[in-house]
């Protein structure tokens, strides 16, 4: 039972990194300037590395012989546990960077706390991921500031991005019984604590960027139960098409 | 076309602490912070650096080929500045 | 050098080249040397950037997470290589913005290999093995060219590009050990990429207008045909090794010369693709123009932000 919970928890961590990496990968070759193209791909690569580690560990925990690829390519929409925010389409560079900032801030505090997990594998993975995420956060916080205060056009685009993304932020802190159990046993960090830290940091960066936190926005949740937005299905169809067309093949 | 080209920066990388900084190449960036991040993302994708310098390209002052003779030839005849100028029979100085 | 006539300067320049000296940005150089280098280097840089597109087409569909990571890193490297070469070109007193402008307007060219489509996963293997393999042969030669910044960029690029070549070959080798469907996919990809890879070296030197001059300046060190031969000689045994057939019925090893002889190259196809009639010419240009246009507000915002910070006395 405890292993089932740990398996599920690893999927939540791995899937968010995987789906976000997949989205950032779509930018490769299409960035606003060469340097930034390269920077976004670095982040995508780090996230992919995190996803592979967490999914591999998920497979080991499950004990049914599934590896990272079985989990990435042969699960359906309803079995994915990534945040709804991660699967949202790239939109313009502003949407991508704001999405990155909102998730990255969550990952930053999550990994920081998770590196004290009683599960030694999780704590080691979290410690490594924390270093990567520290850099990502510096990169995307800077961009939020630049875009929100740069030109009139860039500011308007950031306001639009905020309007379209904010309703998915609550989903990142939706805690179910399973997670509460893991928190109690010292494996997962307290979601409320991470939420508080996230909230403080987002307010800080927003205030520097003269952005205000949207008030009274209805929050759409569901990732914990695999209830996604329509975007995930298309993303998976593309991501999974080759292995599913050649069952049993080795690549 | 309106110019939106960011300024050019020279990037120097240090492979390990204690080693000298070497010129790695250039990047474009709008400000210091971005210059540092871009330099990191472009020039240390394979662990090539443990420390980075970025310098606005315009701040580099270089000697010119015309200076070559007057700058560097005078050092040519000062062979006594090199250790192999000296005979030190039998003694080990290494 | 101040009181010399143009002709005397050119003579001294040529003597430096003949002695094997390397030319640096601030050295005197004939205007034609400079403009030829700009043409060649920027074409090379644009090719790296356009080259991100056909492979980028498969990042979201790579069949395993390991392959996805490798491909992402590889396509990113191409971007880095483009950037290194642009930096090298900028030492010739031309901005990247001007270079990119000439490319987006269609005035500057890029390697026509990237106007071919990537249809299956095996194409990623074939590109790594053949296209990067050909590029390495070319770039290894350019690493000894007479212009310092270009040569140094090539050294760095060759070091990085070795893994590109190997990962492509590994993809094909894995497919050739797989199911019948996978083997067919691999063979089909090589059938489509073989001849365009040979064309990457350019037409025979007698039909190549710039070759003689570039050889005299040691910008080019070997003829197109020599490099093509070198590529074929090293590639054919690799194909045999994994059971891939090279799609050339006339290909055979000549014991006397120790070289492979190969069939005629369809140069009509080559010139056609250069003229814009490749399957993907329009898509590639469209994608690059879109990235440039859609990114303008981002570049402007960062610039405006930097100016505001400076005005506030906060050096960002």
């Amino acid at each position: 039972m405890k292993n089932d919970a740990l398996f599920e928890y690893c999927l939540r961590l791995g899937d968010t990194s995987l789906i976000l990496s997949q989205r950032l990968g779509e930018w490769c070759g299409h960035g606003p300037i060469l340097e930034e193209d390269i920077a976004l791909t670095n982040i995508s690569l780090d996230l992919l590395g995190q996803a592979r580690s967490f999914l591999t560990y998920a497979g080991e925990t499950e004990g049914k012989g599934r590896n990272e690829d079985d989990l990435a390519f042969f699960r359906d929409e309803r079995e994915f546990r990534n945040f709804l925010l991660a699967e949202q389409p790239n939109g313009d560079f502003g949407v991508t960077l704001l999405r990155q900032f909102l998730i990255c801030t969550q990952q930053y505090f999550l990994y920081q706390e998770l590196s004290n997990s009683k599960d030694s594998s999780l704590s080691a993975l979290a410690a490594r991921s924390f270093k990567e995420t520290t850099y990502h956060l510096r990169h995307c916080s800077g961009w939020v500031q630049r875009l929100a205060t740069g030109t009139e056009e860039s500011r308007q685009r950031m306001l639009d991005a905020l309007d379209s993304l904010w309703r998915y932020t609550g989903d990142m802190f939706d805690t179910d019984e399973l997670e509460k159990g893991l928190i109690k046993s010292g494996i997962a960090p307290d979601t409320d604590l991470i939420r508080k830290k996230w909230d403080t940091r987002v307010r800080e960066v927003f205030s520097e960027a003269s952005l205000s936190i949207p008030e009274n926005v209805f929050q759409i949740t569901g990732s914990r139960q695999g209830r996604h937005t329509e975007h995930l299905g298309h993303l998976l169809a593309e991501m999974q098409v080759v292995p599913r067309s050649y069952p049993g093949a080795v690549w | 076309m309106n110019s939106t080209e960011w300024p050019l920066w020279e990037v120097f990388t240090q492979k390990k602490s204690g080693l000298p900084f070497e010129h790695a190449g250039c990047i474009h960036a709008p400000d210091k912070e971005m210059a540092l991040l871009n330099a990191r993302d472009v020039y240390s994708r394979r662990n090539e650096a443990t420390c980075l310098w970025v310098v606005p390209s315009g701040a580099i002052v270089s000697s010119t080929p015309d200076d070559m003779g007057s700058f560097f030839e005078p050092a040519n005849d000062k062979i006594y500045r090199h250790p192999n100028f000296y005979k030190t029979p039998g003694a080990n100085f290494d | 050098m101040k009181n010399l006539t143009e002709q005397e300067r050119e003579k001294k320049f040529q003597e430096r080249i003949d002695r094997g000296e390397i030319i640096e940005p601030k050295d005197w150089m004939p205007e034609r040397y400079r403009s030829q280098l700009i043409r060649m280097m920027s074409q090379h840089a644009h090719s790296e950037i356009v080259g991100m597109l056909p492979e980028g087409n498969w990042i979201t569909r790579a069949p395993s997470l390991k392959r996805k990571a490798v491909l992402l890193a590889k396509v990113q490297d191409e971007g880095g290589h483009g950037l290194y070469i642009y930096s090298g070109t900028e030492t010739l007193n031309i901005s990247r913005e001007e270079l990119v402008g000439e490319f987006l307007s269609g005035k500057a060219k890029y390697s026509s290999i990237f106007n071919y489509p990537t249809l299956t996963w095996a194409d990623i293997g074939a590109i790594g093995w053949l296209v990067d393999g050909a590029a390495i042969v070319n770039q290894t030669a350019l690493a000894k060219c007479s212009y310092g910044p270009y040569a140094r960029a090539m050294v760095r690029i060759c070091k990085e590009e070795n893994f590109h070549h190997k990962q492509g070959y590994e993809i094909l080798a894995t497919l050739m050990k797989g199911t019948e469907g996978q083997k067919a996919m691999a063979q089909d990809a090589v059938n489509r990429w073989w001849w365009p890879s040979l064309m990457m070296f350019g037409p025979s030197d007698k039909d190549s207008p710039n070759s003689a001059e570039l050889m005299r300046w040691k910008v080019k060190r070997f003829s197109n045909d020599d490099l093509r031969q070198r590529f074929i000689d090293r590639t054919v045994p690799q194909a045999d090794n994994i059971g891939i057939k090279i799609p050339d019925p006339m290909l055979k090893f000549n014991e006397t010369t120790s070289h492979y002889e190969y069939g005629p190259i369809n140069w009509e196809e080559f010139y056609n693709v250069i003229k814009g009639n490749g399957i993907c010419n329009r898509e590639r240009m469209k994608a690059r123009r879109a990235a440039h246009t859609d990114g303008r507000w981002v570049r402007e915002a960062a610039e405006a932000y930097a100016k505001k910070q400076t005005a506030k006395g906060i050096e960002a």
Side-chain angles (χ1 to χ4, degrees):
Chain A
M1 184 58 211
K2 197 185 132 199
N3 267 5
D4 286 355
L6 188 55
F7 169 68
E8 173 78 15
Y9 187 65
C10 290
L11 290 183
R12 292 176 183 183
L13 297 173
D15 285 349
T16 291
S17 290
L18 176 62
I19 299 304
L20 192 55
S21 165
Q22 175 82 359
R23 282 292 187 220
L24 291 180
E26 294 171 17
W27 272 103
C28 190
H30 306 276
I33 185 165
L34 208 38
E35 282 81 350
E36 190 55 30
D37 205 304
I38 292 169
L40 281 181
T41 308
N42 272 341
I43 298 178
S44 179
L45 275 168
D46 286 344
L47 289 168
L48 184 53
Q50 293 170 13
R52 294 178 66 189
S53 303
F54 285 120
L55 291 182
T56 299
Y57 186 49
E60 288 166 15
T61 312
E62 188 194 31
K64 291 182 185 165
R66 288 203 278 181
N67 63 22
E68 57 179 38
D69 289 330
D70 297 325
L71 290 170
F73 296 100
F74 293 94
R75 277 182 301 147
D76 293 331
E77 287 94 322
R78 298 282 280 109
E79 299 167 88
F80 269 78
R81 294 293 182 261
N82 59 281
F83 296 149
L84 302 180
L85 192 51
E87 73 208 31
Q88 297 312 304
N90 284 341
D92 64 17
F93 185 75
V95 172
T96 293
L97 260 294
L98 185 64
R99 182 188 64 197
Q100 194 60 33
F101 169 70
L102 295 170
I103 297 177
C104 186
T105 309
Q106 187 273 348
Q107 288 184 324
Y108 176 82
F109 293 114
L110 172 84
Y111 291 144
Q112 191 174 47
E113 296 299 320
L114 188 64
S115 57
N116 302 315
S117 170
K118 284 198 174 143
D119 184 294
S120 59
S121 303
L122 275 185
S123 73
L125 291 179
R128 200 191 65 199
S129 305
F130 178 69
K131 284 185 197 159
E132 295 170 345
T133 310
T134 304
Y135 183 80
H136 303 169
L137 189 55
R138 179 167 170 181
H139 174 263
C140 57
S141 305
W143 268 116
V144 167
Q145 194 134 347
R146 278 182 190 86
L147 297 178
T149 60
T151 61
E152 251 172 71
E153 180 185 1
S154 71
R155 180 164 181 80
Q156 190 53 52
R157 283 176 185 264
M158 287 309 270
L159 293 173
D160 294 345
L162 191 55
D163 181 55
S164 72
L165 295 179
W166 191 257
R167 60 201 158 130
Y168 300 112
T169 51
D171 179 58
M172 297 193 289
F173 307 101
D174 190 22
T175 319
D176 57 2
E177 287 307 315
L178 181 143
E179 205 154 315
K180 280 181 193 156
L182 291 171
I183 295 169
K184 204 175 269 174
S185 54
I187 290 176
D190 183 359
T191 318
D192 287 336
L193 174 73
I194 293 170
R195 174 173 213 144
K196 272 191 205 117
K197 292 188 171 194
W198 180 87
D199 206 65
T200 310
R201 175 62 69 92
V202 170
R203 275 174 201 281
E204 279 167 16
V205 173
F206 275 21
S207 112
E208 291 273 316
S210 312
L211 292 171
S212 39
I213 304 270
E215 300 291 339
N216 301 320
V217 176
F218 183 80
Q219 292 297 311
I220 299 165
T221 59
S223 68
R224 293 289 182 267
Q225 296 79 38
R227 288 198 318 270
H228 290 274
T229 60
E230 286 182 346
H231 305 296
L232 182 67
H234 294 281
L235 180 150
L236 293 180
E238 188 174 346
M239 185 175 89
Q240 298 176 333
V241 62
V242 180
R244 288 196 179 212
S245 308
Y246 295 80
V250 175
W251 303 96
Chain B
M1 205 180 291
N2 294 331
S3 174
T4 56
E5 180 152 87
W6 296 342
L8 192 64
W9 303 69
E10 304 292 325
V11 179
F12 298 83
T13 52
Q14 186 187 36
K15 278 200 187 79
K16 274 200 317 206
S17 75
L19 292 180
F21 282 75
E22 273 179 29
H23 185 239
C26 303
I27 45 105
H28 286 273
D31 54 49
K32 286 181 190 172
E33 165 75 0
M34 283 292 295
L36 205 52
L37 300 193
N38 287 348
R40 180 263 189 193
D41 282 316
V42 173
Y43 291 101
S44 71
R45 302 200 303 285
R46 288 174 169 77
N47 287 324
E48 297 98 326
T50 53
C51 188
L52 288 169
W53 288 347
V54 287
V55 182
S57 295
I60 300 270
V61 184
S62 166
S63 67
T64 67
D66 286 341
D67 295 328
M68 205 196 291
S70 62
F71 268 45
F72 307 115
E73 270 169 32
N76 274 350
D77 59 2
K78 297 184 180 58
I79 48 175
Y80 46 82
R81 282 188 187 275
H82 300 276
N84 50 6
F85 176 74
Y86 301 93
K87 296 183 186 74
T88 52
N92 185 2
F93 282 81
D94 288 334
Chain C
M1 301 276 277
K2 275 176 188 144
N3 304 318
L4 301 178
T5 66
E6 191 74 3
Q7 231 175 3
E8 285 167 330
R9 283 183 167 190
E10 283 203 26
K11 187 165 165 279
K12 283 209 179 293
F13 179 81
Q14 188 62 49
E15 284 164 7
R16 289 192 63 193
I17 299 269
D18 294 343
R19 283 197 300 271
E21 286 182 30
I22 298 297
I23 307 302
E24 292 296 339
K26 289 189 190 302
D27 295 353
W28 185 88
M29 60 186 82
E31 187 46 36
R32 174 92 182 146
Y33 178 84
R34 179 177 165 272
S35 64
Q36 282 285 49
L37 270 172
I38 290 177
R39 183 189 59 81
M40 221 174 130
M41 291 173 74
S42 66
Q43 194 169 314
H44 194 163
H46 306 324
S47 301
E48 297 281 356
I49 303 305
V50 180
M52 298 172 81
L53 299 172
E55 290 178 282
N57 184 33
W58 280 89
I59 289 173
T60 55
R61 291 179 290 169
S64 75
L65 297 185
K66 180 187 110 181
R67 294 285 179 212
K68 192 191 287 292
V70 170
L71 184 59
L72 256 175
K74 182 195 182 238
V75 178
Q76 183 201 41
D77 274 351
E78 313 290 359
H81 297 172
L83 197 152
Y84 303 158
I85 307 171
Y86 280 131
S87 298
T89 319
E90 284 175 279
T91 62
L92 293 160
N93 288 329
I94 185 161
S95 69
R96 192 200 297 177
E97 190 175 42
E98 284 174 82
L99 297 169
V100 171
E102 286 183 355
F103 162 57
L104 294 178
S105 73
K107 193 179 147 207
K109 300 281 178 235
Y110 59 91
S111 177
S112 58
I113 189 88
F114 302 118
N115 292 319
Y116 290 86
T118 47
L119 301 179
T120 70
W121 170 249
D123 288 37
I124 300 308
I127 290 182
W129 177 46
L130 298 174
V131 177
D132 289 307
I136 288 173
V137 169
N138 250 330
Q139 289 167 350
T140 309
L142 283 169
K144 297 180 196 106
C145 84
S146 62
Y147 189 56
Y150 198 16
R152 288 192 287 274
M154 287 304 113
V155 170
R156 195 178 183 106
I157 288 172
C158 285
K159 247 189 244 168
E160 297 189 358
E161 201 137 275
N162 249 325
F163 108 72
H164 298 180
H165 186 222
K166 282 191 178 163
Q167 64 87 35
Y169 188 62
E170 191 192 80
I171 288 174
L172 290 179
T174 308
L175 291 175
M176 291 306 287
K177 278 188 284 187
T179 64
E180 286 310 309
Q182 284 178 301
K183 286 181 199 170
M185 192 198 275
Q187 184 61 56
D188 169 63
V190 172
N191 290 349
R192 284 182 287 111
W193 288 96
W194 173 256
W195 291 105
S197 303
L198 297 191
M199 294 175 199
M200 280 174 71
F201 296 95
S204 199
D205 293 273
K206 58 184 189 324
D207 305 318
S208 178
N210 297 307
S211 275
E213 186 178 55
L214 292 174
M215 296 272 264
R216 180 162 57 81
W217 281 330
K218 295 191 181 168
V219 173
K220 273 184 79 163
R221 308 296 306 259
F222 305 93
S223 77
N224 293 349
D225 286 329
D226 284 351
L227 293 174
R228 186 168 15 247
Q229 187 67 54
R230 194 176 296 178
F231 169 71
I232 292 171
D233 288 345
R234 68 160 67 167
T235 305
V236 175
Q238 293 168 353
D240 295 342
N241 216 15
I242 55 172
I244 286 265
K245 280 198 194 68
I246 299 292
D248 178 358
M250 294 170 77
L251 187 78
K252 66 166 190 285
F253 190 69
N254 183 325
E255 299 282 351
T256 330
T257 61
S258 289
H259 290 301
Y260 283 90
E261 291 170 358
Y262 53 97
I265 293 172
N266 182 355
W267 291 112
E268 201 183 328
E269 174 183 323
F270 176 76
Y271 289 114
N272 226 337
V273 178
I274 285 189
K275 264 185 244 154
N277 298 324
I279 295 184
C280 297
N281 293 58
R282 283 166 194 247
E283 281 81 355
R284 303 294 184 238
M285 288 307 290
K286 200 172 147 196
R288 287 314 307 162
R289 284 186 188 128
H292 190 76
T293 312
D294 297 347
R296 174 165 297 142
W297 71 272
V298 178
R299 299 190 298 274
E300 283 172 352
E303 204 183 14
Y305 173 82
K307 278 198 186 123
K308 283 182 199 171
Q309 294 298 102
T310 315
K312 274 194 228 163
I314 309 164
E315 286 241 10

